[in-house]
Amino acid sequence: MPLAPALLLPTGDPKPVEKAVVDSILDQFEPETFLWINLHRPDGGVHVWYAWTAGGTALGDTVDLAALTSGSDAADWLHLTGRHRTDHFRGRIHTQAHPLRPIQADLARGDRAPENERDKLSRLLCSAAELAHQSRPLDRPLPRWVGVGPTLLNRPTPATR
């Protein structure tokens, strides 16, 4: 007796469909690439997915370890990842592709964010704190390197613990 076709039932969980979309995007990029994928929802929200092409997870973690060891911070992360990032759009999907080898090379050379970018980020953080009725001194150190590997990016933040 032949098997009956699988019955697909609608659910309120978009994650299986989103994962299938993310998996289909991976094939479009070179190995050792970190992808930051923004799935724009009809309600105006955005769901962010992190994904890595072949070899990207291990290399991303290696890059993060080098960045943290060197004292790189969020300004360096914005600067170095932004230097090599390419943007790709498919409908409501915005993919930021970050090739990891050039970021690793920048870190190895000791490249850092310029002072004007560091100052802008510090002022932005101070303004955000002020809007939240908090204080943040301008001379407070910037947050740590955000990450390009799964270990650091998937680590729970204080808000999600």
Side-chain angles (χ1 to χ4, degrees), residues 9-82:
L9 299 173
T11 69
D13 184 9
K15 285 191 174 56
V17 172
E18 289 178 354
K19 181 169 180 351
V21 168
V22 168
D23 288 345
S24 74
I25 290 171
L26 285 170
D27 296 335
Q28 301 171 18
F29 295 93
E30 295 293 321
E32 299 182 331
T33 301
F34 161 56
L35 303 174
W36 181 300
I37 303 169
N38 297 306
L39 300 170
H40 294 269
R41 295 184 172 172
D43 66 1
V46 176
H47 189 211
V48 176
W49 282 75
Y50 305 132
W52 293 264
T53 60
T57 56
L59 182 57
D61 283 342
T62 298
V63 169
D64 287 345
L65 181 59
L68 294 173
T69 302
S70 71
S72 295
D73 57 26
D76 301 318
W77 178 81
L78 284 168
H79 180 72
L80 298 179
T81 59

Side-chain angles (χ1 to χ4, degrees), residues 122-143:
S122 185
R123 287 194 309 274
L124 173 71
L125 293 173
C126 288
S127 294
E130 186 177 307
L131 288 171
H133 305 290
Q134 299 174 359
S135 65
R136 183 182 196 285
L138 268 174
D139 60 351
R140 182 174 173 188
L142 292 171

Side-chain angles (χ1 to χ4, degrees), residues 67-127:
L68 294 173
T69 302
S70 71
S72 295
D73 57 26
D76 301 318
W77 178 81
L78 284 168
H79 180 72
L80 298 179
T81 59
R83 181 185 292 178
H84 304 289
R85 182 181 102 191
T86 58
D87 293 278
H88 308 266
F89 298 89
R90 186 171 86 187
R92 295 175 162 255
I93 303 166
H94 173 204
T95 302
Q96 300 171 359
H98 304 273
L100 295 169
R101 289 288 174 192
I103 297 168
Q104 183 182 41
D106 288 350
L107 283 166
R109 273 193 308 275
D111 290 356
R112 303 292 301 260
E115 282 305 312
N116 66 325
E117 288 183 25
R118 306 180 86 66
D119 292 341
K120 285 180 195 176
L121 180 57
S122 185
R123 287 194 309 274
L124 173 71
L125 293 173
C126 288
S127 294

